[in-house]
């Protein structure tokens, strides 16, 4: 998604709501957080006022990838995916592949019970449920420790809201018998894992990621390691591709969790060319050189480190895709290795393996291998096989073998009153608990992307991309019906649809949705009582 063209369309031509991305007015419109908090134009901040004034920045600055690029690999993509509401991801491919191949996969997300669940949370509920329906192990958790520590919620308030979130999740179709529901405070395994993960993270890191300082209370920090444990919890029994559906404000958590997953590994698998270690930049340079030189041209047909060093020394820097520092460090390494042959190999680097695990790894490697003090080089297995093998050995020998968790990101919804959707402005959002009539009224009084007069609208068409009402159609009211969403869009921008009728239709659909949802909430009360989740906190007030 480029965001350049206000009328951008997804692959199948379904119009995309602009979702509040920076408008052509260059003013960088404010985007609301999924939890209704305010958002501003700063770096992503899970608790503060982070904003996404321009979704493109997330790709460029934070390395989030565009969802459109994996869409084709996803089996029966959800409408939120098809319509670009889910706009970004990190490393979603392994999850899509596992679902396609009927292999183990998991989905997990968490909710801070700070208020009533609203239509922004519904996006995440739907994402969890959809993955569950595609065969993933599904987890929904109540972030009660975080709500208590970071938002100062009392346990009483937490219990009340937690129950409400869970009812909506079940009412929308989460299967509690297949899936897992838990609250952070009651999950001993999560707490134990959090403790272990905490040993791999330190305060300066929290400082730079979250802006924590000397005033930050310790429980808040504990809630961070708890979230890290939440994210890795689905892999405790067995490593598997896991997706965390969240708003982009949670990306700092995802990045840290991906990092910690790696730090907990016994082994790091990489490609190597000789006995020495290479940094990624250095490796790229060696590969470049290796591919230019023909081993046959050398005495005894063997390409040796010193040959590559000579060739490298003769090549002007401008002919190489590297910088002077990398060049000189690679030269030094090659010269020191001298007559050692250059041969591609797969390296298992020992990060923190036990002696037994290291021995077991050596035994498990088939074909030619060479054992060093801190690594083993294998010459007959490729990178993917090696990853698999390392993970197996690790799990069999008391390690975790975590895969880096994946994530998908959805756009935040625009407030019904324009600007931000905020829980402190009831008219700006629709709670899943709103009386259906109230929901109807809120939609009826919503701002639109309509023109001054009906005449002008007929002539120029409405601005669906800037219209919170259109967003409601695209994110929620059209459900799975892409044709209906497209019809509303086309009629709007084509000037055939006027805002009065359009809002009436949307308001009726919203009334229907709320009535239906609330009826279902009542029906799943029993299911919730049976579910294995503690509904009442035993904590002191
Ligand atoms: N921090 C999340 C929020 O602000 C809640 C949360 C806790 C969560 N643990 C999680 C989200 C694990 C995703 C995955 O709402
Ligand atoms: Fe929005 Fe509907 Fe008006 Fe178009 S016609 S601007 S979609 S309310």
């Amino acid at each position: 998604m480029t965001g350049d063209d206000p009328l951008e369309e997804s692959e199948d031509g379904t119009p995309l709501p602009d979702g509040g991305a920076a408008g052509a007015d260059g003013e960088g419109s404010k985007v609301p957080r999924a939890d209704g908090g305010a958002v501003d134009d700063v770096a992503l901040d899970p608790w503060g006022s982070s904003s996404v004034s321009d979704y493109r920045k997330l790709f460029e600055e934070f390395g989030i990838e565009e969802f459109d690029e994996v869409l084709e690999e996803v089996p029966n993509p959800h409408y939120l995916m098809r319509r670009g509401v889910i706009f970004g991801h990190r490393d979603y491919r392994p999850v899509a592949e596992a679902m396609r191949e009927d292999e183990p996969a998991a989905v997990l997300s968490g909710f801070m019970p700070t208020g009533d669940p609203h239509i922004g949370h519904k996006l995440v509920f739907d994402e969890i449920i959809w993955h569950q329906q595609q065969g993933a192990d599904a987890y929904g958790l109540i972030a009660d420790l975080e709500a208590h520590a970071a938002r100062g919620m009392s346990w009483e308030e937490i219990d009340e809201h937690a129950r409400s979130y869970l009812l909506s999740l079940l009412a929308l179709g989460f299967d509690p018998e297949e899936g897992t529901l838990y609250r952070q405070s009651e999950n001993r395994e999560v707490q134990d894992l959090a403790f272990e993960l905490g040993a791999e993270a330190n305060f300066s890191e929290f400082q730079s990621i979250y802006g924590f300082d000397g005033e930050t209370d310790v429980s808040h920090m504990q809630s961070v390691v708890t979230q890290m444990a939440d994210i890795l919890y689905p892999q405790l029994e067995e490593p598997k591709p896991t997706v965390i559906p969240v708003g982009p404000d949670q990306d700092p958590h995802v990045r840290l969790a991906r990092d910690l997953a790696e730090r907990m590994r016994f082994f790091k698998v990489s490609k190597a060319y000789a006995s020495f270690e290479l940094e990624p930049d250095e490796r790229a340079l060696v590969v470049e050189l290796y591919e230019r030189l023909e081993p046959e041209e050398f005495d005894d047909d063997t390409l040796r480190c010193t040959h590559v060093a000579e060739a490298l020394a003769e090549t002007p820097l401008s002919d190489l895709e590297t910088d002077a520092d990398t060049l000189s460090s690679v030269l030094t390494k090659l010269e020191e290795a001298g007559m050692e042959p250059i041969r591609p190999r797969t390296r298992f680097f020992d990060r923190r393996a036990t002696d037994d695990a290291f021995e077991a790894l050596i035994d498990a490697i088939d074909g030619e291998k060479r054992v060093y003090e801190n690594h083993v080089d294998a010459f007959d297995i490729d990178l993917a096989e090696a990853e698999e093998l390392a993970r197996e050995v690790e799990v069999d020998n008391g390690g975790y073998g975590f895969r880096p968790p994946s994530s998908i990101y959805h756009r935040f919804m625009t407030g019904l009153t324009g600007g931000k959707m905020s829980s402190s402005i009831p008219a700006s959002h629709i709670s899943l608990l709103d009386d259906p009539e109230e929901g109807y009224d809120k939609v009826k009084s919503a701002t639109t992307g309509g023109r001054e007069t009906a005449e002008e609208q007929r002539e120029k068409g409405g601005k669906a991309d800037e219209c919170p009402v259109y967003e409601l159609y695209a994110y929620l009211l059209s459900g799975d019906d892409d044709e209906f969403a497209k019809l509303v869009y086309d009629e709007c921008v084509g000037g055939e649809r006027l805002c009065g009728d359009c809002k009436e239709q949307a308001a009726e659909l919203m009334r229907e949705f709320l009535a239906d949802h609330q009826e279902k909430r009542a029906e799943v009360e029993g299911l919730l009582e049976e579910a294995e989740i503690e509904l009442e906190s035993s904590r002191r007030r």
Side-chain angles (χ1 to χ4, degrees):
M1 213 164 310
T2 64
D4 264 331
D5 175 2
L7 301 183
E8 63 198 349
E9 299 204 342
S10 69
E11 215 82 312
D12 65 352
T14 313
L16 299 171
D18 189 43
D25 55 19
E27 195 205 304
S29 36
K30 300 276 166 96
V31 178
R33 278 168 51 99
D35 72 354
V39 271
D40 252 307
D41 196 8
V42 286
L44 294 171
D45 174 355
W47 302 283
S49 46
S50 65
S51 107
V52 184
S53 63
D54 182 345
Y55 285 88
R56 269 172 306 176
K57 276 200 203 146
L58 299 180
F59 303 133
E60 286 154 18
E61 281 175 34
F62 296 97
I64 291 174
E65 296 171 78
E66 296 189 38
F67 196 83
D68 272 359
E69 281 162 22
V70 279
L71 186 61
E72 274 181 15
E73 298 169 40
V74 181
N76 324 305
H78 190 271
Y79 69 82
L80 293 172
M81 297 172 168
R82 302 195 303 262
R83 287 178 209 156
V85 178
I86 294 172
F87 70 93
H89 74 102
R90 278 191 195 274
D91 200 16
Y92 188 63
R93 280 194 178 83
V95 178
E97 187 184 322
M99 291 188 306
R100 270 196 331 263
E101 313 281 325
D102 265 326
E103 279 165 13
V107 58
L108 171 141
S109 198
F111 306 91
M112 259 209 276
T114 50
D116 288 340
H118 57 63
I119 53 176
H121 298 114
K122 178 181 181 286
L123 302 178
V124 184
F125 295 148
D126 285 344
E127 291 174 74
I128 297 176
I129 294 162
W130 177 84
H131 282 91
Q132 182 175 45
Q133 289 163 351
Q134 308 307 307
D137 293 341
Y139 296 76
L141 70 99
I142 297 297
D144 57 354
L145 293 180
E146 186 182 358
H148 190 65
R151 290 282 167 82
M153 304 293 293
S154 74
W155 291 105
E156 206 169 352
E157 293 168 303
I158 286 172
D159 285 354
E160 180 198 329
H161 295 138
R163 184 182 177 84
S164 191
Y165 277 80
L166 293 166
L167 282 177
S168 280
L169 178 59
L170 295 180
L172 289 166
F174 183 89
D175 178 350
E177 273 163 32
E178 286 295 318
T180 305
L181 299 172
Y182 71 89
R183 51 195 297 162
Q184 290 176 324
S185 64
E186 299 281 341
N187 190 328
R188 179 68 212 220
E189 284 177 310
V190 163
Q191 287 310 312
D192 289 348
L193 179 56
F195 184 85
E196 300 297 329
L197 294 168
E200 290 295 318
N202 64 35
F203 180 64
S204 358
E205 198 172 12
F206 280 16
Q207 233 174 340
S208 71
I209 300 175
Y210 302 111
F212 286 179
D213 59 24
E215 300 297 304
T216 308
D217 58 81
V218 176
S219 298
H220 192 168
M221 293 186 229
Q222 200 182 333
S223 79
V224 173
V225 285
T226 303
Q227 177 155 354
M228 297 304 107
D230 289 333
I231 292 175
L232 295 170
Y233 181 57
Q235 301 193 60
L236 256 192
E237 292 265 299
E238 160 196 37
K240 55 172 91 64
T242 302
V243 61
I244 313 298
V246 276
D249 61 314
Q250 298 291 307
D251 186 55
H253 288 310
V254 171
R255 271 180 287 157
L256 178 58
R258 288 174 61 80
D259 235 59
L260 288 174
E262 173 108 12
R263 285 183 221 163
M264 298 300 279
R265 295 293 310 277
F266 281 1
F267 306 110
K268 181 179 173 62
V269 176
S270 64
K271 226 147 171 60
Y273 288 82
S275 60
F276 49 78
E277 288 294 323
L278 292 169
E279 296 297 324
D281 287 356
E282 299 174 337
R283 188 173 304 122
L285 178 58
V286 172
V287 175
E288 194 185 337
L289 256 281
Y290 179 77
E291 277 163 7
R292 283 195 201 175
L293 299 169
E294 301 284 336
E296 303 83 70
E297 288 172 14
F298 296 89
D299 336 327
D300 71 0
D301 279 4
T302 312
L303 181 56
R304 295 176 190 274
C305 290
T306 177
H307 300 140
V308 183
E310 280 161 26
L312 192 55
E314 284 164 17
T315 316
L317 184 59
S318 55
D319 278 8
L320 297 164
E321 287 188 32
T322 195
D323 53 65
D325 286 350
T326 310
L327 178 63
S328 96
S329 65
V330 167
L331 257 181
T332 312
K333 286 181 183 182
L334 289 168
E335 279 160 3
E336 277 171 5
M339 290 304 280
E340 187 187 333
I342 287 261
R343 272 179 75 195
R345 64 198 71 191
T346 304
R347 173 159 304 161
F348 298 80
F349 181 74
D350 177 358
R351 266 209 140 92
R352 45 180 276 164
T354 57
D355 292 346
D356 285 350
F358 195 61
E359 287 306 317
L361 176 74
I362 297 167
D363 284 349
I365 295 172
D366 282 336
E368 190 185 342
K369 58 192 152 194
R370 215 164 278 179
V371 179
Y372 300 81
E373 197 182 331
N374 283 321
H375 67 263
V376 186
D377 284 353
F379 294 87
D380 300 322
I381 47 182
D382 66 27
L383 211 57
E385 278 173 281
E387 281 286 1
E388 209 50 49
L389 185 68
R391 207 165 257 126
E392 254 169 54
V393 169
E394 190 167 329
V395 172
D396 289 346
N397 287 276
Y400 295 102
F402 291 135
R403 285 171 185 269
S406 313
S407 55
I408 51 176
Y409 301 108
H410 56 78
R411 288 171 181 250
F412 294 125
M413 290 177 97
T414 310
L416 295 177
T417 42
K420 47 199 171 198
M421 191 180 272
S422 157
S423 20
S424 54
I425 312 169
S428 76
H429 72 280
I430 292 176
S431 153
L432 296 175
L433 308 185
D434 277 350
D435 187 90
E437 287 310 323
E438 197 183 337
Y440 174 94
D441 290 342
K442 282 183 183 176
V443 177
K444 286 287 273 201
S445 9
T447 20
T448 72
R451 309 281 176 177
E452 294 287 309
T453 62
E455 202 171 63
E456 193 190 345
Q457 178 118 339
R458 284 205 188 86
E459 200 183 304
K460 299 184 184 159
K463 293 187 268 186
D465 292 292
E466 292 166 30
C467 177
V469 178
Y470 177 67
E471 235 177 70
L472 292 177
Y473 278 106
Y475 286 50
L476 190 153
L477 301 174
S478 306
D480 208 36
D481 191 347
D482 287 347
E483 270 174 42
F484 178 58
K486 185 161 166 47
L487 180 80
V488 172
Y489 187 88
D490 289 346
E491 285 182 354
C492 169
V493 300
E496 295 147 55
R497 186 173 265 264
L498 297 184
C499 296
D501 290 347
C502 184
K503 286 210 278 187
E504 175 62 27
Q505 188 178 19
E508 283 170 16
L509 288 169
M510 184 60 78
R511 180 166 59 196
E512 230 172 90
F513 163 74
L514 288 171
D516 176 62
H517 180 65
Q518 288 162 20
E519 200 174 299
K520 289 197 185 119
R521 279 173 55 101
E523 286 166 18
V524 297
E525 287 271 357
L527 258 188
L528 181 59
E529 296 304 328
E530 281 162 35
E532 277 177 51
I533 181 167
E534 192 55 64
L535 295 172
E536 268 163 53
S537 173
S538 54
R539 305 226 168 183
R540 298 191 183 197
R541 305 287 140 193

